[in-house]
Amino acid sequence: MASNLDSVLKKNANDLAKELEVERILKAFKLNPYDILDLPITATETEVKKQYRKKSLLIHPDKFKHEKGLEAFDFLKKAEDQLSDSAKRKEIDMIMTHARTQVLKAILGTGYSTSIPDDDPRLHNLTPPLDQQVRAKGREILVEDELARRRKTKLTYANEGAEKAKQEAEVAARKRKVEDQAKWEERREDRISDWRSFSNKKSKKNKKNEHVLG
């Protein structure tokens, strides 16, 4: 009886841990893969893979049913892919290193240095802790970069739209010119006929005047 109760309690505890992890991932800052994987920016490639394996096994959709479990699992996989790609990781690391530098500068003032380790005594007992402050600053920078990227994309689309409109206007102008030229050619015979009629009338009038004068 006791063993059955222990099994139920253990299962409930495991399910709760899985549910909490799904919720944590969904609340994590999506532009920061370290935040999604719950890793420090100093994590090695081995630690990244180990953490991904641990968390992916915990919330895998085939083993734990949650209405947003698949979404959380996809975020987890995307984060691992980003940190496994050397170029993408270099880009995110540059941003997070800059964020750490800004935080150290704010905490230590003129005494800061980028070489100061996280376990430096001056960084103990911070509120909030150094890692949280670095993540918060990184979030600010990442948001600014993302907004700048979107503005650039929007401007590019706007410029492309303006260029396309200009090209369409030029095409329309050329088309009108061709149509006007075609209409001019179509009326060529009418113009010649009108001119001949006018010339004949003028000639007859001149002859009449000559007869009267004579």
Side-chain angles (χ1 to χ4, degrees), residues 177-194:
K177 186 176 181 180
V178 171
E179 290 174 346
D180 291 343
Q181 185 65 32
K183 290 178 181 178
W184 174 263
E185 292 297 330
E186 287 176 1
R187 295 188 58 196
R188 184 170 181 276
E189 293 299 327
D190 292 339
R191 291 196 305 275
I192 293 173
S193 178
D194 291 344

Side-chain angles (χ1 to χ4, degrees), residues 49-196:
K49 292 186 178 301
K50 183 178 179 181
Q51 181 80 326
Y52 169 70
R53 178 172 174 76
K54 175 184 174 182
K55 292 187 176 298
S56 62
L57 288 174
L58 181 66
I59 66 163
H60 198 287
D62 290 343
K63 297 183 178 181
F64 178 63
K65 302 302 178 183
H66 189 287
E67 59 180 356
K68 293 189 176 181
L70 185 58
E71 182 181 1
F73 186 80
D74 286 342
F75 282 134
L76 199 64
K77 178 58 179 170
K78 182 179 178 181
E80 191 269 339
D81 287 342
Q82 280 184 280
L83 295 182
S84 295
D85 185 307
S86 59
K88 291 180 179 178
R89 178 162 187 175
K90 183 178 179 181
E91 184 178 347
I92 190 73
D93 281 355
M94 286 177 62
I95 292 174
M96 297 308 297
T97 298
H98 178 62
R100 185 177 185 275
T101 300
Q102 293 298 308
V103 170
L104 289 177
K105 188 174 181 180
I107 295 172
L108 304 175
T110 56
Y112 91 96
S113 168
T114 55
S115 62
I116 294 176
D118 289 353
D119 59 358
D120 186 286
R122 292 171 294 176
L123 302 178
H124 292 174
N125 303 318
L126 294 176
T127 304
L130 178 64
D131 183 59
Q132 289 186 25
Q133 292 190 46
V134 171
R135 288 193 187 193
K137 178 58 69 174
R139 182 182 185 125
E140 291 178 14
I141 298 172
L142 286 164
V143 167
E144 289 176 3
D145 284 358
E146 178 64 14
L147 290 175
R149 184 191 67 78
R150 292 184 183 184
R151 284 194 294 269
K152 183 179 180 180
T153 300
K154 187 176 181 180
L155 182 61
T156 299
Y157 284 150
N159 290 338
E160 289 176 351
E163 182 62 26
K164 183 178 180 180
K166 179 182 177 182
Q167 291 175 358
E168 290 176 347
E170 291 174 350
V171 170
R174 287 196 296 270
K175 184 178 179 181
R176 284 195 300 272
K177 186 176 181 180
V178 171
E179 290 174 346
D180 291 343
Q181 185 65 32
K183 290 178 181 178
W184 174 263
E185 292 297 330
E186 287 176 1
R187 295 188 58 196
R188 184 170 181 276
E189 293 299 327
D190 292 339
R191 291 196 305 275
I192 293 173
S193 178
D194 291 344
W195 172 251
R196 285 174 178 170

